[in-house]
Amino acid sequence: DQQVKQNSPSLSVQEGRISILNCDYTNSMFDYFLWYKKYPAEGPTFLISISSIKDKNEDGRFTVFLNKSAKHLSLHIVPSQPGDSAVYFCAGQQGGSEKLVFGKGTKLTVNP
Amino acid sequence: KAGVTQTPRYLIKTRGQQVTLSCSPISGHRSVSWYQQTPGQGLQFLFEYFSETQRNKGNFPGRFSGRQFSNSRSEMNVSTLELGDSALYLCASSLGVLEKAFFGQGTRLTVV
């Protein structure tokens, strides 16, 4: 039972354009959603999060949108930079637990 | 502040052997979680410890176990290794529930 799904294994965009990474979930009990970025041979790095009571959170070039009725969230990166090339993981978290339920990731490539 | 430190970084073991992996969390962090990353299954939650108590456990066989010491350092053990246990094992630490988790670089385990 995959509670968090990232249906696009890969995404390629041009430098300066917008990158949109999508994530769907099935568990209505998630209180918190997080995005992590991972480079090869490194551990995931926290990027941005959003509480389930909000619909948008912004941090610099990164914005996460949450649509609870559709059980869908997306990460927007504007403008995209070559250094953003990495695998991006979406994760859900329930209150009272440290457990993160991850999607399988989307590999983003930003071309110069 | 030092990040999450995992040792060793790489390990090769033979089927049937057992292995112990170590994780030192960020100073002051009392929560430690372990994840297994494989190409097919993505990042999967193993277990979580807080103040030496296991608070949550993922869907893994009993061959996978862990513990946390009074200084918050944690170890995980896998007994009777199988080829399918080959994976990147990641440790994450946080201050507590719903605080963002910081990951170590992982231990790459290869079972031959």
Side-chain angles (χ1 to χ4, degrees), chain B residues 4 10 14-15 33 40 58 60 69 73 79 94 100 106 109 112:
Chain B
V4 179
Y10 303 92
T14 305
R15 264 185 309 175
S33 300
F60 279 81
F69 302 94
R73 190 177 72 83
S79 62
S94 72
K100 66 184 181 190
L109 171 66
V112 297

Side-chain angles (χ1 to χ4, degrees), chain A residues 11-20 61 76-82 84 108-111:
Chain A
L11 175 68
S12 185
V13 300
Q14 284 299 120
E15 180 178 7
R17 304 294 291 269
I18 184 171
S19 295
I20 300 176
R61 295 187 297 115
H76 292 212
I77 306 174
V78 184
S80 301
Q81 299 173 353
D84 295 330
L108 173 66
T109 303
V110 181
N111 301 302

Side-chain angles (χ1 to χ4, degrees), chain B residues 23-110:
Chain B
C23 172
S24 293
I26 292 172
S27 178
H29 285 192
R30 293 165 65 190
S31 173
V32 173
S33 300
W34 288 88
Y35 292 83
Q36 180 196 64
Q37 185 184 19
T38 57
Q41 297 298 320
L43 277 154
Q44 291 191 292
F45 174 79
L46 279 155
F47 25 66
E48 174 221 335
Y49 288 87
F50 185 87
S51 294
E52 302 179 68
T53 301
Q54 187 182 89
R55 290 201 300 196
N56 214 337
K57 190 177 191 309
N59 191 24
F60 279 81
R63 299 185 297 107
F64 291 81
S65 63
R67 58 178 175 167
Q68 187 180 33
F69 302 94
S70 58
N71 62 358
S72 293
R73 190 177 72 83
S74 177
E75 288 181 347
M76 70 162 277
N77 184 279
V78 188
S79 62
T80 321
L81 284 165
E82 301 177 359
L83 295 178
D85 297 333
S86 295
L88 179 67
Y89 290 88
L90 290 158
C91 167
S93 77
S94 72
L95 285 169
V97 173
L98 295 184
E99 295 287 339
K100 66 184 181 190
F102 293 85
F103 282 82
Q105 290 187 293
T107 295
R108 171 72 63 184
L109 171 66
T110 302

Side-chain angles (χ1 to χ4, degrees), chain A residues 1-18:
Chain A
D1 173 31
Q2 204 178 339
Q3 298 181 46
V4 178
K5 293 182 185 178
Q6 293 177 258
N7 292 318
S8 298
S10 63
L11 175 68
S12 185
V13 300
Q14 284 299 120
E15 180 178 7
R17 304 294 291 269
I18 184 171

Side-chain angles (χ1 to χ4, degrees), chain A residues 32 36 38 41-44 46 89 93 95-100 102 104, chain B residues 9 31 35 37 40 45 48 55-56 94 96-98 100-101 103-105:
Chain A
Y32 219 44
Y36 280 83
K38 187 178 184 301
E42 292 186 15
F46 172 79
F89 291 95
Q93 187 177 36
S97 172
E98 288 296 302
K99 176 181 176 180
L100 294 170
F102 285 92
K104 293 196 176 181
Chain B
R9 289 292 311 279
S31 173
Y35 292 83
Q37 185 184 19
F45 174 79
E48 174 221 335
R55 290 201 300 196
N56 214 337
S94 72
V97 173
L98 295 184
K100 66 184 181 190
F103 282 82
Q105 290 187 293

